[in-house]
Amino acid sequence: MKTASKQDAPRGWPLSPRTVRAVLSGHGLLGLAFAAIIYLVCLTGALAVFAHDIARWEQPDTPSITALAPGALDQAVRSAQANGPAHATLYVSLPSREEAEASIIAYTPTLHREWAADRNGTLVERRTPIADFLVDLHIALHLPRAWGGFVVGLTGVALLSSLISGILAHPRIFKDAFHLRRGGARRLQEADMHNRLGIWALPFHLAIALTGALLGLSTLIVGVLAMLLYRGDTAKVYGLFTEAPPAINAVAAPLPPLEPMLAEARRRSDRATPNQLIIERAGRADARVTISSERDRLLVPQDTTIFDAKGRVVKDQHPADLVLGTRMLGGIRQLHFGWFGGLPVRLLYGLLGLALCIVTSSGVTIWLARRRDRGRAVPLWERLWAGIAWGQPLALAMVGITGLVAPAQDGILIWVWLATTACSLIIAGGAQGFDASNGAARYRHLVAASTLGLALVYLVTRQLGLPGMGVELALLAGAGLLFRHPASKHRREGRTAG
């Protein structure tokens, strides 16, 4: 006697049972694809925290300085004006003891160039394709920024929803926070690790998901506010948080000396240290120079002093002048990326970010294992998820190797990533007789080998120095941990006992 399946269509339903099953399969694959995007965003986010460190690792000859010589700032800015795209906005980052580097970005919507400056203001072009690739992949998935940012924002919403629903679905999760079963069934161990990492780092996970959603959906939020408050005029919404540009005056006018402006900004911002200049319309009578200064133990920037083309102060703003909403918005990016507090904060964010990757990956693995236990196994999905979970670290390692070998060919990095991702999925999807444990071990060893290869390629193509030492040690340690994963030992012991 045939037993009715839960996937069978009810009587009178216009679609056949086969069609219903196909639709349900497509629905599951769509959910798996969205989980893959969440995992990718989490993985690249954990690495993007170290974007500055990776950039120094890529280009170890970048000048390391803690202060500029007198007159060097003006010389560096003049060189950037002469060599950068016309009518570019210049973003100048000043050196400090914590960030021993001075850099200038000449930016236009269609083109930008970036340099590092030595102590005397001589510019050295910066070429950091790997760090740039990671940040762009995390922020917008290398899609057009508006669309990519929107998709990433949706992943933040989905991740936040998953975290909240996970807590509500596990009433004993806080009681069992320190209960970790070892030596038992593999699925129970994964479930315990999933729950423990989820609850121990829950404040971090919630903060990252919420700030990521706000950053990614900012364009949509601005659009809604504009329609509700200003009849669709988004410029008025942005005007609530940014200073309106000066009246247009394209008459040529030399930029006044910058060092007196720095001295004035420092005088007006007690206990604050200037760390960035934004120079708009340089060389014109409507130029504007914005100097931002940071204070110790203050997450949200900042003291801001704005000068006109003649070096006169037109606005002076300090943290006490900011309303609560502006302070909160100003801290979202800092809080999300962990670009505050120096290396200790970056290390903490990196470890917690990897924990979030494990929570995401193990969550899907546990869901697929439960389907299998209930007699509704989907081997193809299990293989594809293994290809995603291990294929993405492999793809990023291949991007790193390509970026080191051919740094000038940064346009091919996206194709390397896409090709490696596609190959991982095709191979995983076609691997008949896939066993979760043995298959994961093979993937893990492949990722370990590629990580080790990335470290070795760096030693061949670059001169190892202090700036690159930290990233090299992290790569070697990661490869070693993957090669010596405890699961491999347990399987060897099981085969020996058998």
Side-chain angles (χ1 to χ4, degrees), residues 123-210:
L123 299 184
V124 177
E125 186 166 11
R126 293 192 64 181
R127 194 177 291 277
T128 56
I130 302 173
D132 295 341
F133 178 89
L134 283 173
V135 173
D136 289 343
L137 186 59
H138 177 69
I139 292 175
L141 303 175
H142 284 276
L143 298 172
R145 184 58 59 93
W147 289 102
F150 180 73
V151 173
V152 172
L154 288 180
T155 65
V157 175
L159 179 58
L160 187 63
S161 301
S162 299
L163 291 169
I164 295 173
S165 61
I167 296 171
L168 297 177
H170 296 82
R172 291 170 53 88
I173 194 168
F174 290 100
K175 183 177 180 180
D176 295 340
F178 297 95
H179 179 59
L180 188 62
R181 289 167 286 195
R182 302 294 295 174
R186 180 173 177 266
R187 202 192 84 182
L188 292 178
Q189 294 184 43
E190 286 192 355
D192 283 348
M193 184 61 69
H194 173 85
N195 293 336
R196 299 303 83 78
L197 289 178
I199 192 61
W200 291 341
L202 184 60
F204 172 83
H205 299 336
L206 291 174
I208 291 299
L210 178 59

Side-chain angles (χ1 to χ4, degrees), residues 149-154 157 211-223:
F150 180 73
V151 173
V152 172
L154 288 180
V157 175
T211 54
L214 291 174
L215 289 171
L217 299 177
S218 58
T219 303
L220 178 63
I221 294 171
V222 167

Side-chain angles (χ1 to χ4, degrees), residues 7 21 23 57 74 92 112 147 207 215 271 409 426 457 474 487:
Q7 293 182 353
R21 287 192 292 271
V23 171
W57 170 76
D74 292 284
V92 184
H112 77 276
W147 289 102
L215 289 171
R271 296 175 298 164
Q409 305 299 320
I426 292 172
V457 168

Side-chain angles (χ1 to χ4, degrees), residues 93-114:
S93 295
L94 300 175
S96 65
R97 294 187 181 276
E98 293 75 21
E99 299 292 341
E101 181 182 308
S103 65
I104 300 180
I105 299 175
Y107 174 83
T108 67
T110 58
L111 180 66
H112 77 276
R113 292 188 66 185
E114 184 174 355

Side-chain angles (χ1 to χ4, degrees), residues 60-400:
D61 59 345
T62 299
S64 180
I65 60 174
T66 57
L68 290 165
L73 177 60
D74 292 284
Q75 178 181 327
V77 168
R78 286 194 297 269
S79 297
Q81 281 184 261
N83 295 288
H87 311 300
T89 298
L90 303 180
Y91 296 85
V92 184
S93 295
L94 300 175
S96 65
R97 294 187 181 276
E98 293 75 21
E99 299 292 341
E101 181 182 308
S103 65
I104 300 180
I105 299 175
Y107 174 83
T108 67
T110 58
L111 180 66
H112 77 276
R113 292 188 66 185
E114 184 174 355
W115 304 269
D118 65 12
R119 189 175 185 278
N120 298 315
T122 303
L123 299 184
V124 177
E125 186 166 11
R126 293 192 64 181
R127 194 177 291 277
T128 56
I130 302 173
D132 295 341
F133 178 89
L134 283 173
V135 173
D136 289 343
L137 186 59
H138 177 69
I139 292 175
L141 303 175
H142 284 276
L143 298 172
R145 184 58 59 93
W147 289 102
F150 180 73
V151 173
V152 172
L154 288 180
T155 65
V157 175
L159 179 58
L160 187 63
S161 301
S162 299
L163 291 169
I164 295 173
S165 61
I167 296 171
L168 297 177
H170 296 82
R172 291 170 53 88
I173 194 168
F174 290 100
K175 183 177 180 180
D176 295 340
F178 297 95
H179 179 59
L180 188 62
R181 289 167 286 195
R182 302 294 295 174
R186 180 173 177 266
R187 202 192 84 182
L188 292 178
Q189 294 184 43
E190 286 192 355
D192 283 348
M193 184 61 69
H194 173 85
N195 293 336
R196 299 303 83 78
L197 289 178
I199 192 61
W200 291 341
L202 184 60
F204 172 83
H205 299 336
L206 291 174
I208 291 299
L210 178 59
T211 54
L214 291 174
L215 289 171
L217 299 177
S218 58
T219 303
L220 178 63
I221 294 171
V222 167
V224 171
L225 289 175
M227 294 197 59
L228 292 175
L229 302 177
Y230 301 110
R231 297 184 178 180
D233 189 349
T234 57
K236 290 186 177 181
V237 179
Y238 285 115
L240 298 174
F241 309 103
T242 60
E243 187 70 16
I248 294 177
N249 186 350
V251 175
L255 194 67
L258 296 172
E259 290 184 1
M261 297 187 198
L262 285 177
E264 178 64 17
R266 191 177 290 108
R267 185 188 69 81
R268 289 171 173 264
S269 305
D270 183 37
R271 296 175 298 164
T273 304
N275 67 323
Q276 186 186 59
L277 294 84
I278 301 176
I279 305 173
E280 304 168 79
R281 302 173 180 175
R284 295 173 31 160
D286 56 358
R288 181 171 67 182
V289 179
T290 302
I291 298 178
S292 298
S293 304
E294 61 180 0
R295 301 184 181 217
D296 294 336
R297 299 181 299 278
L298 189 64
L299 174 62
V300 182
Q302 260 174 22
D303 296 80
T304 302
T305 308
I306 301 177
F307 300 84
D308 63 13
K310 295 183 179 180
R312 298 173 300 196
V313 175
V314 295
K315 187 171 182 179
D316 190 32
Q317 184 174 269
H318 306 283
D321 303 326
L322 302 177
V323 299
L324 179 60
T326 304
R327 295 185 189 183
M328 293 176 63
L329 289 174
I332 287 177
R333 184 176 294 273
Q334 293 279 81
L335 186 61
H336 183 77
F337 285 99
W339 291 342
F340 64 94
L343 182 60
V345 173
R346 293 200 298 275
L347 290 174
L348 179 63
Y349 264 62
L351 291 174
L352 293 174
L354 290 177
L356 186 54
C357 294
I358 295 173
V359 170
T360 303
S361 178
S362 61
V364 178
T365 302
I366 293 167
W367 170 64
L368 292 172
R370 286 176 176 168
R371 285 185 61 100
R372 177 178 289 276
D373 292 345
R374 293 169 182 169
R376 297 189 291 122
V378 193
L380 176 61
W381 295 3
E382 294 178 16
R383 297 196 300 269
L384 288 177
W385 183 252
I388 291 168
W390 292 105
Q392 283 312 297
L394 175 63
L396 295 179
M398 297 306 297
V399 165

